[in-house]
């Protein structure tokens, strides 16, 4: 059984490869790529992995879309890859 950290790291690496491409501040949409990290949007495992990435500072709310989307801290659609996230993805 995978741990939350392992799920989070898989999701982070998928987001870096397919969306951020090594760019800090790049907008990423985790729920669109969760499947490629063997996660499913809306499940406890996905929510825990996303929460872990936010708590670790790897992802931050996308400022460009915050006023449009709103929502709960871990329920937003758009996120930004942080410098910390890029470091974690390459570790």
């Amino acid at each position: 059984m995978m741990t939350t950290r392992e799920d989070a790291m898989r999701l982070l690496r998928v987001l870096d490869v397919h969306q951020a491409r090594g760019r800090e501040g790049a907008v990423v949409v985790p729920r669109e790529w969760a499947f490629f990290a063997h996660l499913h949007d809306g499940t406890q495992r996905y929510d825990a992995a996303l929460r872990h990435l936010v708590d670790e500072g790897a992802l931050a709310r996308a400022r460009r879309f915050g006023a449009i989307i709103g929502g709960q801290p871990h329920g937003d659609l758009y996120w930004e890859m942080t410098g910390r996230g890029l470091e974690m993805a390459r570790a």
Side-chain angles (χ1 to χ4, degrees):
M1 180 116 184
M2 291 293 188
T3 66
T4 297
R5 185 180 185 292
E6 290 169 325
D7 286 340
M9 292 306 297
R10 262 195 334 278
L11 180 58
L12 185 65
R13 288 183 180 117
V14 166
L15 293 172
D16 182 32
V17 168
H18 294 285
Q19 289 193 300
R21 296 183 180 106
R23 296 171 292 137
E24 184 175 350
V27 174
V28 297
V29 185
R31 69 175 53 168
E32 289 184 0
W33 292 93
F35 176 79
F36 296 97
H38 306 287
L39 298 169
H40 300 282
D41 179 33
T43 63
Q44 277 187 309
R45 279 182 63 193
Y46 169 81
D47 291 343
L50 182 59
R51 190 173 317 112
H52 180 81
L53 294 175
V54 172
D55 290 348
E56 289 291 318
L59 297 179
R61 280 182 140 164
R63 292 166 278 169
R64 291 174 264 194
F65 299 101
I68 298 169
I69 302 300
Q72 299 300 314
H74 303 296
D76 289 353
L77 179 61
Y78 299 101
W79 297 88
E80 288 182 9
M81 179 71 74
T82 66
R84 170 86 173 122
L86 294 174
E87 290 173 13
M88 290 173 62
R90 288 172 174 78

